[in-house]
Amino acid sequence: MYIAMNRFKVAAGAEGDFESVWRNRDSSLSQVPGFVEFRLLRGKTNAEESYTLFSSHTLWRSEEDFLNWTKSENFRAAHRNAGDNKGLYKGPPVFEGFNVVDGI
């Protein structure tokens, strides 16, 4: 199993708009070979720096399945309008990928 995560610093006050973008996007993930599960996680608000931390969390059968998706038309279509929402973010997303340690 492979977990792919992107962390987003969302401008305070824009959380609802950010969640709507994710709720209404057509990712087609359920049709992608190797895709298992998606979750959007909402963290705490950092009042001092005026952002709320979010993370997109996808679970894949393998890292290879994830990498194949990133090279697909489905991936391009899911991210086609990402630049339209730059005002929601405080900086670019930060990617983290993890292979699950079996047996633990």
Side-chain angles (χ1 to χ4, degrees):
M1 296 296 254
Y2 184 76
I3 297 172
M5 300 175 70
N6 274 298
R7 289 184 295 127
F8 302 89
K9 290 182 179 179
V10 176
E15 295 89 350
D17 291 336
F18 178 79
E19 290 173 12
S20 286
V21 167
W22 284 87
R23 195 173 280 114
N24 297 315
R25 73 187 243 172
D26 181 17
S27 70
S28 303
L29 278 174
S30 62
Q31 301 166 18
V32 177
F35 171 76
V36 176
E37 181 179 81
F38 172 84
R39 297 278 185 239
L40 182 63
L41 310 173
R42 183 177 181 162
K44 300 208 180 251
T45 298
N46 181 325
E48 190 173 294
E49 295 185 35
S50 193
Y51 71 83
T52 299
L53 187 63
F54 281 82
S55 180
S56 65
H57 177 279
T58 53
L59 183 62
W60 299 85
R61 277 191 320 233
S62 69
E63 184 175 5
E64 182 181 12
D65 287 329
F66 169 74
L67 292 172
N68 287 338
W69 175 66
T70 65
K71 300 170 189 168
S72 73
E73 182 55 39
N74 281 351
F75 179 86
R76 284 186 285 285
H79 294 85
R80 185 167 288 129
N81 298 320
D84 295 350
N85 300 300
K86 285 184 182 180
L88 301 178
Y89 308 102
K90 297 197 96 168
V94 176
F95 175 78
E96 297 173 318
F98 301 90
N99 284 293
V100 173
V101 178
D102 291 329
I104 299 178

